[in-house]
């Protein structure tokens, strides 16, 4: 009875208190995730979870920390597991939870976070109460990044995970259309803390969500230091694919960066999604590109080398349309003497990384496409009278750029290639059969189709394979449907 009285609904007009009341927390959220909301602002001293009511109380060490936290999260609503969470002052001055049941997990999570913050890695008995590090649990984590709106590079992972201990090696790869990584710590405890604090967190506001589990591997073998894999204990490894290895000075800079990632999804300022100190990474308002002080050129190139193309089928226009899904393509050059290779110049390095993370390894016209950063900084246009056969094209002023407007909604609708395409800008006179026949005419098998209920200008079409969808997008994006309507085609995250 007492407990019910103690936590009756808090009034929203409370004066500042170091105890904060959190509402609408997801039912499957962990204690560590709730604590992580407070960590960027100061020490969290207590936690009470009321999962049945989707609420929690978080006690900060000082009122100042609580005020900073409320001021920060009022204009920029925080998200846990992609759900908005609302924070206000509680009318309690402190949390008395000693005699409450089910507090062992909260206390274990608090002790682990505090041990990590103070650098003391003493394993407390309370940690065991939360099913702490099991005997034999390794120091290698497997990381899957869901909802990958923006590229998550090896450098970004290094910055995030090195907050929890010494990162020795990272290998990144794409499997089942998902960006994944294996990351090895020097100590299994560091891996445990990182998993507890970061699993379910988003790198950027409401996207790029980390799913973390322990790998069965005990150690990683890294052959090359490049943008896909790195062994931080061996700066002497070759780059393997023409990529310059990371300079030791830059590697050192990464070890000390205090990074916080910009909120692309429109929340004000920065998202302390990962609980990092503010202000080290700034975002250029013009291009939306991340700049890290002292690490300007990693990776700064916006020109891609695209190889293993089918020379019979590929055109500069085709590459412009396909890579244009992930950024604004300024120039394309298919190599005169080796038409399997092309250079694609994107608007900035961020968009180049985005294109690599989504298109590298996709099948296009019967071949597996390879995309990596080129050593060239720009694509040269042919000189007057130079023979080129129309293989180099400048698209810098094209009306077809999808991301011209800063903060364009299109940035939020970037998805990996999929067999389902999103169609928009359809005139009312066009029928289901018209569109099915149009896609069948490009050699696609139409598996399913539906118009959006609320908006008949938009539809989803499911084709026989991802490769068919790539071909159809290249051929039919901007197709003239009559009545001055040009079809817009992009990849969908939905299935029909």
């Amino acid at each position: 009875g007492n407990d019910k009285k103690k936590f009756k609904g808090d009034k929203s007009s409370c004066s500042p208190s170091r105890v904060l009341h959190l509402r609408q927390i997801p039912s499957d959220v962990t204690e560590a995730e709730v604590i992580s909301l407070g960590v960027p602002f100061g020490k969290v001293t207590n936690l009470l979870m009321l999962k049945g009511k989707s609420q929690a109380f978080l006690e900060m060490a000082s009122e100042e920390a609580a005020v900073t936290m409320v001021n920060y999260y009022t204009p920029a609503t925080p998200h846990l597991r992609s759900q908005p969470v609302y924070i206000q002052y509680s009318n309690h001055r402190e949390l008395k939870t000693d005699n409450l049941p089910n507090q062992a997990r909260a206390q274990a999570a608090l002790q682990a976070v505090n041990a990590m913050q103070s650098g003391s890695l003493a394993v407390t008995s309370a940690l065991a109460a939360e099913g702490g590090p099991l005997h034999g649990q390794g120091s290698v984590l497997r990381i899957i990044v869901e909802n990958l709106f923006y590229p998550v590079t090896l450098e970004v992972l290094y910055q995030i995970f090195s907050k929890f201990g010494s990162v020795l090696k990272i290998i990144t790869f794409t499997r089942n259309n998902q960006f994944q990584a294996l990351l090895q710590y020097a100590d299994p405890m560091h891996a445990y803390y990182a998993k507890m604090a970061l699993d379910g967190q988003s790198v950027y506001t409401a996207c790029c969500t980390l799913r973390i589990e322990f790998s069965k591997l005990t150690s990683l073998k890294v052959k090359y230091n490049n943008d896909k894999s790195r062994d931080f204990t061996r700066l002497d490894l070759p780059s393997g694919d023409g990529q310059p290895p990371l300079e030791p000075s830059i590697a050192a800079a990464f070890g000390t960066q205090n990074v916080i990632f910009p909120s692309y999804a429109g929340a004000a300022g920065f998202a302390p999604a990962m609980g990092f100190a503010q202000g080290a990474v700034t975002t250029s308002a013009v291009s939306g590109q991340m700049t890290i002080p002292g690490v300007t050129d990693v990776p700064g190139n916006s020109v891609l080398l695209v190889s293993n193309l089918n020379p019979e089928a590929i055109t500069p226009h085709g590459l412009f349309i396909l890579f244009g899904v992930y950024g604004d393509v300024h120039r394309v050059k298919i190599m005169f003497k080796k038409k399997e290779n092309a250079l694609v110049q994107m608007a900035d390095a961020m968009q180049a990384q985005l294109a690599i993370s989504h298109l590298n390894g996709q099948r296009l016209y019967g071949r597996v496409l390879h995309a990596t950063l080129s050593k060239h900084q720009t694509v040269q246009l042919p000189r007057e009278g130079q023979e080129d056969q129309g293989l180099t094209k400048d698209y810098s002023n094209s009306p077809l750029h999808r991301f011209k407007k800063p903060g364009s909604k299109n940035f939020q609708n970037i998805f990996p290639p999929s067999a389902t395409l999103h169609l928009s800008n359809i005139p009312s006179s066009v029928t289901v059969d018209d569109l099915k026949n149009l896609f069948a005419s490009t050699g696609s098998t139409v598996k399913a189709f539906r118009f959006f209920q609320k908006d008949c200008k938009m539809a989803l079409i499911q084709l026989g394979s991802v490769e068919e969808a790539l071909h159809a997008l290249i051929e039919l994006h901007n197709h003239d449907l009559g009545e001055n309507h040009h079809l817009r085609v992009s990849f969908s995250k939905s299935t029909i």
Side-chain angles (χ1 to χ4, degrees):
N2 264 355
D3 297 341
K4 276 206 183 84
K5 266 203 298 258
K6 206 183 291 181
F7 298 111
K8 264 213 306 276
D10 284 2
K11 311 293 177 286
S12 56
S13 57
C14 291
S15 58
S17 158
R18 65 193 183 95
V19 179
L20 300 171
H21 179 202
L22 282 62
R23 291 173 297 125
Q24 292 188 27
I25 64 169
S27 55
D28 55 349
V29 79
T30 64
E31 282 80 357
E33 285 173 277
V34 175
I35 293 167
S36 74
L37 290 176
V39 166
F41 304 97
K43 188 174 178 183
V44 179
T45 48
N46 208 346
L47 170 71
L48 176 69
M49 301 277 275
L50 302 176
K51 283 198 175 172
K53 295 183 174 177
S54 305
Q55 296 180 19
F57 289 87
L58 196 68
E59 180 187 274
M60 302 298 287
S62 69
E63 200 174 284
E64 290 79 8
V67 171
T68 311
M69 182 170 162
V70 170
N71 289 349
Y72 181 87
Y73 285 133
T74 303
T77 309
H79 286 71
L80 287 174
R81 307 214 166 195
S82 306
Q83 279 191 36
V85 177
Y86 299 95
I87 299 179
Q88 62 196 40
Y89 299 115
S90 164
N91 46 16
H92 301 290
R93 296 290 139 216
E94 61 179 320
L95 284 179
K96 295 194 174 70
T97 57
D98 303 346
N99 56 356
L100 294 183
N102 305 326
Q103 269 300 97
R105 285 175 61 91
Q107 291 307 316
L110 277 167
Q111 291 194 344
V113 171
N114 290 335
M116 187 182 73
Q117 278 191 312
S118 63
S120 124
L121 294 174
V123 185
T124 60
S125 57
L127 202 52
E130 213 218 349
L134 303 166
H135 183 63
Q137 217 164 42
S139 52
V140 179
L141 295 176
R142 178 161 167 260
I143 302 149
I144 295 175
V145 186
E146 294 176 349
N147 228 356
L148 190 78
F149 284 170
Y150 305 101
V152 173
T153 60
L154 186 144
E155 278 80 20
V156 166
L157 290 173
Y158 182 79
Q159 291 169 331
I160 292 168
F161 282 84
S162 57
K163 297 276 170 268
F164 297 88
S166 177
V167 174
L168 302 183
K169 301 168 190 175
I170 305 178
I171 297 170
T172 65
F173 54 97
T174 302
R175 181 171 293 161
N176 304 334
N177 264 342
Q178 280 184 314
F179 178 75
Q180 304 190 22
L182 291 166
L183 183 143
Q184 182 179 343
Y185 276 106
D187 182 321
M189 279 310 300
H190 299 180
Y192 175 76
Y193 288 134
K195 178 183 184 300
M196 199 167 78
L198 297 177
D199 186 28
Q201 294 281 19
S202 294
V203 181
Y204 304 108
T205 306
C207 70
C208 301
T209 306
L210 301 174
R211 298 278 170 235
I212 303 171
E213 55 196 46
F214 283 100
S215 166
K216 294 186 176 69
L217 298 169
T218 51
S219 176
L220 299 179
K221 288 190 175 64
V222 175
K223 290 181 185 166
Y224 303 113
N225 280 343
N226 56 33
D227 59 343
K228 297 278 189 298
S229 62
R230 203 158 296 159
D231 182 337
F232 294 95
T233 63
R234 292 194 54 196
L235 294 169
D236 58 322
L237 288 179
S239 64
D241 59 0
Q243 288 286 66
L246 198 65
E247 293 295 316
S249 60
I250 295 174
F254 273 121
T256 57
Q257 285 298 321
N258 243 352
V259 175
I260 176 167
F261 293 95
S263 149
Y264 286 97
F270 292 104
M274 294 300 186
F276 298 154
Q278 232 157 320
V281 169
T282 54
T283 308
S284 140
V286 185
S287 63
Q289 207 180 318
M290 283 202 313
T291 53
I292 304 168
V295 199
T296 46
D297 51 357
V298 183
N301 194 357
S302 59
V303 179
L304 303 173
L305 171 62
V306 186
S307 54
N308 200 34
L309 295 166
N310 181 339
E312 305 302 315
I314 204 67
T315 62
H317 178 77
L319 289 170
F320 165 68
I321 294 293
L322 178 59
F323 281 78
V325 173
Y326 298 107
D328 292 339
V329 175
H330 284 193
R331 288 178 181 177
V332 176
K333 182 187 193 79
I334 292 176
M335 301 301 193
F336 186 68
K337 291 192 173 143
K338 195 164 187 231
K339 294 187 173 61
E340 292 87 20
N341 292 353
L343 296 174
V344 176
Q345 184 175 337
M346 307 295 288
D348 62 40
M350 191 80 179
Q351 294 177 11
Q353 288 290 339
L354 198 50
I356 289 174
S357 66
H358 285 306
L359 294 175
N360 184 41
Q362 295 292 341
R363 280 187 79 80
L364 185 67
Y365 303 121
R367 294 193 177 190
V368 176
L369 175 152
H370 296 300
T372 177
L373 287 178
S374 163
K375 60 179 187 289
H376 297 284
Q377 296 296 314
T378 55
V379 169
Q380 297 293 327
L381 293 175
R383 291 190 295 280
E384 268 317 298
Q386 191 180 1
E387 190 191 357
D388 179 66
Q389 298 175 354
L391 295 175
T392 309
K393 288 275 165 64
D394 184 65
Y395 294 101
S396 41
N397 297 318
S398 169
L400 294 186
H401 287 164
R402 296 177 189 238
F403 307 102
K404 281 199 296 277
K405 294 183 189 134
S408 160
K409 248 207 172 122
N410 290 340
F411 272 116
Q412 292 173 40
N413 293 317
I414 291 177
F415 302 110
S418 64
T420 306
L421 295 171
H422 178 278
L423 313 179
S424 59
N425 205 26
I426 304 166
S428 51
S429 59
V430 170
T431 65
V432 173
D433 284 342
D434 291 337
L435 287 163
K436 282 185 172 178
N437 292 337
L438 177 65
F439 277 81
S441 74
T442 69
S444 299
T445 321
V446 178
K447 291 277 189 76
F449 181 95
R450 73 174 166 83
F451 275 109
F452 278 59
Q453 269 178 327
K454 291 184 183 150
D455 187 353
C456 287
K457 293 195 196 96
M458 296 203 285
L460 292 178
I461 188 164
Q462 190 176 334
L463 304 181
S465 66
V466 176
E467 187 177 5
E468 277 186 20
L470 288 162
H471 299 170
L473 181 137
I474 287 172
E475 207 148 321
L476 296 176
H477 179 64
N478 202 44
H479 179 83
D480 190 348
L481 293 172
E483 298 177 42
N484 208 12
H485 280 68
H486 287 78
L487 182 65
R488 289 183 58 84
V489 185
S490 50
F491 297 111
S492 171
K493 63 173 176 182
S494 314
T495 48
I496 304 175

